[in-house]
Amino acid sequence: MTIRDLYGASRSGPFVLAGPCVIESREITLRTATALAAVASRLALPLVFKSSFDKANRTAVTSFRGPGMEEGLAILAEVKDETGLPIVTDIHSPEQAARVAEVADVLQIPAFLCRQTDLLVAAAKTGCIVNIKKGQFLAPWDMKNAVDKVRASGNEHIWLTERGSTYGYNNLVVDMRAIPEMRKFDVPVIFDATHSVQLPGGLGAASGGQREYVPVLASAAVAAGADGIFLETHPDPDTALCDGPNSLPLDRVELLLRRLKAIWELADA
């Protein structure tokens, strides 16, 4: 069975994307992946491991971006071999798509790049699932254009991810109506519970966040019909090199996923 059988447009059941925002080290990445694989096994929830080899849209030029593509892909390949988990990671330019597809099962299009036609087409042509994060600046129905670009390139394996909308300065708000709106495109819709509590640029040279609201918004999104949940998690978010303020502590992931699984089961009853 392939990842497309498990997570394709048929919506065979709820699933999770989780991992550290960025690859900080081999040790932290493997430690987190091993823990998440164990949680996914205990809960019988399909889980895709997420971490970025490069965060090209950090707030400041001095911000940590990751190890780069070659070293990062080597670590992600090791995660895949060691845990059996499929992999999702960001790409930022069309030239990265084919190389990253050699390791990743899902190519993620960052929210700020969701309208970049060449990037969407290159991702589509790899045959991987393409997870397009909705831009903070777009209405949910505007994402049909991004979906159409991937489909026109011969790829039907598409996910959309809701991650909040810009609301004034340094703040985001989530409109749960976006989830059923984007499901109208006949693609699975994922809710990004950790970036949705981000405070973009809220710390001046870095983004802040309100991780205490992650369980609240994740629960609401599942009840609203989200097919999957996206969580950034770290063994010690307060020392994380990227997105720590909005990341969920690794030791709290299982409790939240148990809660979300119960809601999914009630919603399907």
Side-chain angles (χ1 to χ4, degrees):
M1 182 174 287
T2 69
I3 186 173
R4 283 181 289 186
D5 295 323
L6 288 170
Y7 315 113
S10 62
R11 298 195 185 113
S12 57
F15 59 97
V16 179
L17 282 64
C21 174
V22 67
I23 297 170
E24 296 182 12
S25 69
R26 174 182 175 277
E27 187 276 328
I28 288 176
T29 305
L30 284 168
R31 173 184 169 190
T32 306
T34 300
L36 290 172
V39 168
S41 178
R42 286 193 291 271
L43 299 184
L45 270 177
L47 187 142
V48 185
F49 182 77
K50 183 269 168 186
S51 199
S52 299
F53 56 81
D54 180 25
K55 298 297 290 186
N57 58 354
R58 295 300 308 276
T59 303
V61 70
T62 55
S63 298
F64 179 76
R65 290 181 50 166
M69 186 167 67
E70 292 307 321
E71 182 180 348
L73 289 179
I75 293 171
L76 291 175
E78 188 173 358
V79 165
K80 197 171 186 177
D81 289 342
E82 291 289 328
T83 67
L85 293 175
I87 300 294
V88 54
T89 195
D90 300 296
I91 59 171
H92 294 88
S93 67
E95 296 75 22
Q96 293 177 336
R99 174 69 182 97
V100 175
E102 294 174 9
V103 174
D105 304 275
V106 183
L107 301 184
Q108 182 163 280
I109 308 300
F112 286 129
L113 301 177
C114 67
R115 292 182 51 164
Q116 296 297 104
T117 301
D118 290 346
L119 182 61
L120 290 166
V121 170
K125 287 183 176 179
T126 66
C128 290
I129 295 172
V130 182
N131 180 33
I132 315 169
K133 303 193 81 173
K134 180 180 76 64
Q136 303 92 320
F137 46 86
L138 288 179
W141 41 87
D142 292 332
M143 290 301 290
K144 184 178 186 301
N145 296 312
V147 170
D148 288 346
K149 290 176 183 180
V150 176
R151 284 182 168 152
S153 303
N155 191 333
E156 291 288 334
H157 306 293
I158 306 162
W159 298 342
L160 293 179
T161 295
E162 164 62 34
R163 51 94 71 239
S165 299
T166 300
Y167 186 72
Y169 299 120
N170 305 121
N171 200 12
L172 300 169
V173 67
V174 178
D175 182 356
M176 292 297 170
R177 293 176 296 180
I179 294 169
E181 281 291 334
M182 292 194 293
R183 287 183 103 225
K184 292 177 182 178
F185 309 144
D186 196 30
V187 298
V189 174
I190 299 161
F191 178 66
D192 183 340
T194 46
H195 284 102
S196 291
V197 301
Q198 194 177 59
L199 301 175
L203 300 179
S207 293
Q210 297 173 306
R211 72 172 75 104
E212 65 270 25
Y213 294 122
V214 168
V216 177
L217 292 181
S219 299
V222 170
D227 299 286
I229 286 290
F230 178 109
L231 297 168
E232 287 192 335
T233 182
H234 191 280
D236 183 9
D238 290 334
T239 65
L241 300 180
C242 181
D243 282 1
N246 55 269
S247 292
L248 193 69
L250 183 59
D251 61 6
R252 297 186 193 172
V253 169
E254 183 165 0
L255 180 63
L256 175 58
L257 292 184
R258 286 187 183 276
R259 174 179 177 177
L260 298 181
K261 186 178 181 184
I263 298 172
W264 266 311
E265 290 171 349
L266 284 171
D268 289 340

